[in-house]
Amino acid sequence: MANRLSGKVAIVTGGGAGIGEAIAKKFAQEGAAVVVAGFAEDPVQQVTNEILASGGRAVAFQGDLSHEATALACVQTAVGQFGKLDVLVNNAGAFPAAEELDKYPVEAFEYMVKNNIYTTFHMSRAALPELQKTRGNIVAAGSEAGQMGEPMNTPYGGTKGFVHAFIKGIAGEQAKNGVRANCVGPGPIDTAWTHKETGPMTSKMEKQTVEGVPMGRRGTPEEVANVYLFLASDEASFVTGAIYFVDGGVTISKSSSGAEVSSDLKKEPDGELNLEHSKDGHTEIRSQDAGHMMGRSPQ
């Protein structure tokens, strides 16, 4: 087992599926104790059990992190279980709909604001007092959509644009406290979100999405987790306020150049992690969130 995060304690939000699962398992593989945080409906406990079975250290935390009290409880779980907090990974987010703006469901927009913005705000705010003690860091899930915009999901790109600016602001104000803050900006990744069978994309959108990647394929969750690992580790000690795009070249592409890539280059690389939940996780709006958006208190 490698040790780039040896002795560190990390929280990974949205850690039960997709990219979050890969981050949690990669961090544990590199020596971190991990709080795998997410909704009860996601396989948070399963991922935790898989980390423990492989010899790592982990504990599950289930709850809606878009609420202040839940975010504080998550941070206290890390401190109570492992004594401190070194790294907060704000990975949790939502991608519930794909539609032009004039037809975009208002409830889908509110759901994204809740899960993409509120969760990042509350978790960062709750974690900072502990990160100041350890001179730790925050790594947040941005997106190439936050850099370029996202046709057929303009609100999603808007929420990620907020995350980019928010994290840069934290980086600037918290440097005096020894706290770093950075973003990872994935492009199309091989998770539930980018497949028509499990996410909001149509067949046409799925084809256009992949062909718009100069490398001609989706990225893997592990490829994204590798960048989170670097930014969370001491190897990135002079990196703060940065956005690292893991997008196969989407942000510099000007055409559907991915359609020209040969089939052998489109093959995803074999990874080291045993990822059982890369296609898990919900993309639809959940009933309890609909109640919250209508002004009813969470249970």
Side-chain angles (χ1 to χ4, degrees):
M1 185 175 288
N3 59 5
R4 279 175 284 184
L5 295 180
S6 179
K8 306 288 188 183
V9 177
I11 294 172
V12 179
T13 70
I19 294 170
E21 178 199 8
I23 297 169
K25 289 183 174 177
K26 177 64 71 171
F27 279 26
Q29 186 183 78
E30 293 285 338
V34 182
V35 177
V36 183
F39 284 115
E41 300 95 321
D42 290 334
V44 173
Q45 188 62 59
Q46 292 95 311
V47 171
T48 301
N49 292 343
E50 288 156 10
I51 290 173
L52 294 171
S54 66
R57 294 186 298 157
V59 64
F61 181 90
Q62 297 176 335
D64 186 344
L65 299 171
S66 68
H67 300 290
E68 179 183 9
T70 313
L72 286 166
C74 183
V75 171
Q76 287 308 307
T77 295
V79 176
Q81 290 286 325
F82 302 117
K84 60 174 182 170
L85 178 64
D86 298 283
V87 182
L88 168 64
V89 174
N90 281 316
N91 167 72
F95 185 82
E99 188 58 84
E100 292 184 3
L101 182 58
D102 56 330
K103 304 179 186 68
Y104 198 88
V106 172
E107 62 270 22
F109 167 68
E110 293 175 343
Y111 184 64
M112 279 194 298
V113 169
K114 172 183 176 298
N115 288 285
N116 297 3
I117 293 179
Y118 280 23
T119 295
T120 299
F121 170 82
H122 283 303
M123 285 301 302
S124 299
R125 185 172 182 271
L128 272 174
E130 299 301 327
L131 295 176
Q132 289 166 355
K133 295 175 185 176
T134 59
R135 295 188 176 181
N137 67 85
I138 299 171
V139 191
S143 173
E144 50 88 11
Q147 177 84 355
M148 301 169 59
E150 182 77 7
M152 296 297 291
N153 200 343
T154 59
Y156 177 77
T159 64
K160 291 303 183 178
F162 169 88
V163 173
H164 292 178
F166 180 71
I167 292 299
K168 288 181 179 181
I170 291 174
E173 76 176 28
Q174 292 297 319
K176 66 180 182 292
N177 296 317
V179 176
R180 297 185 295 109
N182 295 288
C183 280
V184 176
I189 305 302
D190 194 5
T191 67
W193 288 14
T194 64
H195 289 267
K196 63 183 183 298
E197 297 84 2
T198 52
M201 288 190 175
T202 64
S203 297
K204 179 180 178 182
M205 289 177 62
E206 184 178 347
K207 183 174 184 292
Q208 289 175 334
T209 295
V210 177
E211 288 185 352
V213 180
M215 293 182 70
R217 64 172 176 87
R218 296 172 177 85
T220 69
E222 187 169 346
E223 286 177 305
V224 182
N226 289 335
V227 180
Y228 274 93
L229 170 62
F230 166 69
L231 291 173
S233 76
D234 292 340
E235 293 175 358
S237 56
F238 200 55
V239 181
T240 196
I243 305 172
Y244 273 55
F245 290 106
V246 190
D247 64 0
V250 168
T251 51
I252 53 88
S253 177
K254 298 178 176 62
S255 66
S256 298
S257 55
E260 302 173 8
V261 177
S262 62
S263 58
D264 60 316
L265 291 177
K266 291 181 180 180
K267 184 179 182 300
E268 294 178 2
D270 295 328
E272 298 177 354
L273 302 178
N274 179 23
L275 300 179
E276 300 290 342
H277 310 284
S278 61
K279 300 296 194 304
D280 290 346
H282 293 263
T283 57
E284 73 276 7
I285 299 174
R286 307 173 197 207
S287 58
Q288 71 269 27
D289 294 313
H292 170 65
M293 290 185 291
M294 294 301 291
R296 296 193 291 272
S297 298
Q299 297 300 313

